[in-house]
Amino acid sequence: DIVMTQSPDSLAVSLGERATINCKSSQSVLYTSNNKNYLAWYQQKPGQPPKLLIYWASTRESGVPDRFSGSGSGTDFTLTISSLQAEDVAVYYCQQYYSTPPNTFGQGTKLEIK
Amino acid sequence: EVQLVESGGGLVQPGGSLRLSCAASGFTFSSYWMHWVRQAPGKGLVWVSRINSDGSSTSDADSVKGRFTISRDNAKKTLYLQMNSLRAEDTAVYYCARDCGSSDWPGHFDLWGRGTLVTVSS
């Protein structure tokens, strides 16, 4: 199974500042035939279900603000929030869908306001 | 409205059974693979089971293999999870989720229900 490891476990950032969350997979999730990374990011606010933010490592889901961006390839990925807003307080999860089952998630990163 | 609505959760004793349902609306349910994902209190997301679009193929996490069974009724637009031999460690919110991948390669989950809480306790 592919293991997904996020860092840090928690993060406190000031409003308007940049937030960066990292995700590392135990093996590459890049499919070289189509040059796509099978990596998604989800946001989960308190008391709510997860919401898809980013897929193919860098494609924003429809309706997701452009302050959210994803980058990386192979085994190392980053979710960046360019200017933190109060409504971005949440837990963020990465997920690989390259080698399934199982669809493995990272342990989550809790983002708070400093 | 495109949505998934779970039901069937509740309090059950260790060793007991429960069947969860997930009603889909607003999209062609029979075209999508579907999943169950669970989240223990204060913990992260854990994939549980998946089923392909016509119900002919399923997969389960090792932790539930032989105890949980995923199924679907495309005519009723409903996904199910039959949970037997329940343990305390199965206590969690159970979410159903839609897979937007292809029939050849399942993908990410673009639609989630609000979840239903299962508590296993004596």
Side-chain angles (χ1 to χ4, degrees), chain A residues 42 44 49 93 97-98 100 103, chain B residues 39 47 50 95 105 109 113:
Chain A
Y42 300 87
Q44 187 178 32
Y93 296 92
Y97 47 101
Y98 177 82
T100 68
N103 296 71
Chain B
Q39 186 171 38
W47 174 82
R50 78 177 184 198
Y95 297 101
W105 201 315
F109 305 166

Side-chain angles (χ1 to χ4, degrees), chain A residues 63-84:
Chain A
V64 172
D66 60 7
R67 64 180 180 273
F68 290 90
S69 63
S71 62
S73 185
T75 61
D76 292 281
F77 301 91
T78 300
L79 174 69
T80 301
I81 307 172
S82 60
S83 177
L84 189 70

Side-chain angles (χ1 to χ4, degrees), chain A residues 3-7 21-25 38-43 54 75 77-79 91-97 103-109, chain B residues 45:
Chain A
V3 177
M4 308 300 291
T5 303
Q6 293 180 226
S7 62
I21 298 170
N22 301 301
C23 175
K24 188 174 185 68
S25 56
Y38 286 57
L39 188 285
W41 288 97
Y42 300 87
Q43 174 194 63
I54 302 247
T75 61
F77 301 91
T78 300
L79 174 69
V91 179
Y92 293 84
Y93 296 92
C94 61
Q95 178 209 31
Q96 68 82 21
Y97 47 101
N103 296 71
T104 43
F105 294 89
Q107 80 276 18
T109 295
Chain B
L45 302 171

Side-chain angles (χ1 to χ4, degrees), chain B residues 14 76-77 104 115:
Chain B
K76 294 183 177 179
K77 299 181 181 181
D104 296 325

Side-chain angles (χ1 to χ4, degrees), chain B residues 38-58:
Chain B
R38 69 184 181 184
Q39 186 171 38
K43 302 298 184 181
L45 302 171
V46 177
W47 174 82
V48 174
S49 297
R50 78 177 184 198
I51 188 167
N52 69 345
S53 57
D54 66 6
S56 62
S57 176
T58 66

